[in-house]
Amino acid sequence: MKPRVFMQWPQPQAAATANSSEPAASARQAAGPALAPSMLLARQGLSDRALAWLFVGPTIALLLAFNIFPLLWTIWLSFTNFRANRPNAEVVWLGIDNYRRVLGNEAIWENMRATAHFLVSSIALQLVLGFVLALLLNRRFRSHSFWSTAILLPMMLAPAVVGTFWKYFFEPQYGIFNAIARFLGASGDFTMLGSTQLSPWAIVLVDTWMWTPYVMLLLLAGLKSIPPYLYEAAEIDRASEWTKFWRITLPMVMPFILLALLFRTIENFKMFDLVDQLTNGGPGSVTELASIHLKREAFEKWRTGYASAFAIILFVSIYGLSLVTVRFLDKVKQR
C-alpha cells in the first residue's frame, strides 16, 4: 500500500511577509547601524575641534555678552566724564582723574572703614557660630533632621525680605525687640536703627542671623569628610577631646573654613540690598557701605564715569583679597 503524499502549498500571507521582509532587511544592511548625532556631524566633514566649538560656542557667547563686555565697558567709562542721564552729551576722556578723585575723597575712605568693620565683625561671628552649630549637628540626636532643616531657613529668604522683616522688628514704637528688652528689665526705648553706635551692630546681627547657616553647611560637610579611623587611632593613644579637636578636627576642616571665609568676604564686600532695606546708609553715613555710596553716585548723582572708577577699585580690592585667600588655601591643602 503506497503512502499518501500531501502537497503543501505556501500560504499567500506568509509569502507576502517573506517577500516584504527581504527588501527591508537589505535596506537595513545597506544603511548600516544607527549613528549618534555627533557621528553624523563627523561624517558630514566636521572635526572634533569644530564639534567642541559647536557645543561650547553658545555658552562662551553668553559669557562674553553678560560678563566680559559689561566689565570692559565699565573700564572704558571709568576714564571718561560720561553721565547716564545725559547720553547725548559729549564724552570727554579724563584719563585717571576719576581714580584720583575717588582715592582722594575722604568720604569714600569712611565708607571703606564702615565696610571693613561690617565685614570683619559679621564674618568672625558667622565662622564661630557656624562651627559650633556644625559640631552640634555632626552628632546624631533626637529630632536631628528637624533642627538641621530649621537652622537653614534664614538663608532661604531673600535679603530684601529679611531687611524689611528686621526693620519692623527693630521699630522703637511697636517692634518686638523693644518689647523683649523691656521684659528683660531695660528702661526706655531702644533705637537700634537710629543710633549711631547701635545701627552698625544691628546690620552685623541681621547678616549673622541670615548667613550663619550657610557657613554651618560648609563646615558640616568638612566634618563629615574626616575619616573615622583618625579618631579611633587617637582614642587608642588616649588623646583628650581637646587634643582631638586641635590635632584632627581643626586641621581637617581648615580648607572648608577658608572656603567659607572666601565666599562670605566676597558677598559681604558687595552687600547692598540688606543694608539698603534696614538703614539706607543712615543714620548720617554710619552704615553707608561702599556699595551704598556706589549706588548713590551712579543712580542719584548720575556721575557714571566717577562711579565706574569706584566700581573698578572695589573689583580690584575684592580680587586681591580672594587671590590671597586662594593662595593660603593652596598652602593648607599641600600640608
Side-chain angles (χ1 to χ4, degrees):
M1 186 174 181
K2 298 181 178 180
R4 296 182 181 180
V5 179
F6 296 95
M7 302 296 295
Q8 295 182 357
W9 300 96
Q11 297 296 327
Q13 295 180 354
T17 305
N19 294 333
S20 63
S21 62
E22 292 179 358
S26 61
R28 286 195 298 268
Q29 292 177 359
L35 298 177
S38 59
M39 296 179 64
L40 291 175
L41 292 174
R43 282 196 170 188
Q44 294 178 3
L46 295 177
S47 62
D48 293 340
R49 183 180 296 273
L51 287 175
W53 279 106
L54 181 63
F55 289 107
V56 178
T59 303
I60 295 179
L62 291 176
L63 180 64
L64 293 175
F66 293 101
N67 288 351
I68 306 301
F69 175 74
L71 177 60
L72 297 177
W73 180 250
T74 304
I75 293 175
W76 182 82
L77 290 178
S78 66
F79 296 103
T80 65
N81 67 336
F82 179 78
R83 290 176 175 265
N85 62 338
R86 301 175 185 174
N88 297 325
E90 181 183 1
V91 178
V92 179
W93 181 266
L94 300 178
I96 62 174
D97 289 346
N98 285 330
Y99 291 92
R100 290 176 178 174
R101 292 168 58 194
V102 169
L103 297 177
N105 191 347
E106 184 62 28
I108 287 183
W109 288 107
E110 290 292 335
N111 301 145
M112 296 298 287
R113 278 191 285 268
T115 304
H117 171 268
F118 165 70
L119 189 146
V120 173
S121 302
S122 60
I123 292 180
L125 287 175
Q126 290 171 26
L127 288 177
V128 173
L129 295 178
F131 203 1
V132 172
L133 291 175
L135 290 173
L136 293 176
L137 293 180
N138 193 38
R139 301 179 179 181
R140 304 298 301 183
F141 54 89
R142 185 177 298 179
S143 67
H144 175 274
S145 301
F146 169 78
W147 288 110
S148 300
T149 306
I151 292 175
L152 295 177
L153 287 178
M155 62 174 287
M156 301 179 186
L157 302 174
V161 176
V162 173
T164 304
F165 167 77
W166 280 88
K167 185 176 182 178
Y168 284 103
F169 184 83
F170 286 130
E171 215 284 329
Q173 299 298 327
Y174 50 84
I176 303 176
F177 180 80
N178 281 347
I180 297 175
R182 286 192 296 268
F183 177 78
L184 296 176
S187 59
D189 293 334
F190 287 93
T191 57
M192 285 289 293
L193 301 181
S195 172
T196 56
Q197 296 180 350
L198 297 178
S199 55
W201 292 105
I203 297 175
V204 171
L205 174 63
V206 176
D207 187 74
T208 302
W209 175 83
M210 183 176 182
W211 291 111
T212 296
Y214 175 78
V215 177
M216 179 210 70
L217 203 60
L218 288 177
L219 301 186
L220 183 61
L223 292 175
K224 295 292 185 182
S225 65
I226 300 177
Y229 66 82
L230 295 178
Y231 293 105
E232 295 174 359
E235 290 179 358
I236 294 176
D237 294 337
R238 296 182 179 180
S240 63
E241 294 296 328
W242 173 252
T243 303
K244 294 178 185 178
F245 174 80
W246 188 254
R247 295 297 181 88
I248 300 176
T249 304
L250 190 59
M252 297 296 291
V253 183
M254 184 58 66
F256 295 87
I257 294 176
L258 294 178
L259 281 178
L261 176 65
L262 175 63
F263 293 154
R264 293 308 306 146
T265 299
I266 294 175
E267 291 297 325
N268 281 13
F269 209 100
K270 59 181 183 179
M271 176 67 66
F272 171 77
D273 40 11
L274 182 65
V275 181
D276 184 63
Q277 290 293 327
L278 279 173
T279 61
N280 195 22
S285 59
V286 176
T287 61
E288 186 173 328
L289 304 184
S291 57
I292 301 293
H293 185 82
L294 178 61
K295 185 264 295 186
R296 290 179 176 174
E297 293 290 338
F299 301 107
E300 294 180 8
K301 300 179 181 179
W302 296 103
R303 297 195 291 180
T304 310
Y306 179 83
S308 298
F310 187 28
I312 296 300
I313 291 175
L314 292 179
F315 170 77
V316 173
S317 302
I318 297 174
Y319 181 79
L321 290 175
S322 303
L323 187 61
V324 172
T325 307
V326 171
R327 291 287 180 85
F328 189 67
L329 179 60
D330 292 337
K331 291 183 179 179
V332 171
K333 287 183 177 180
Q334 292 175 1
R335 293 180 180 177

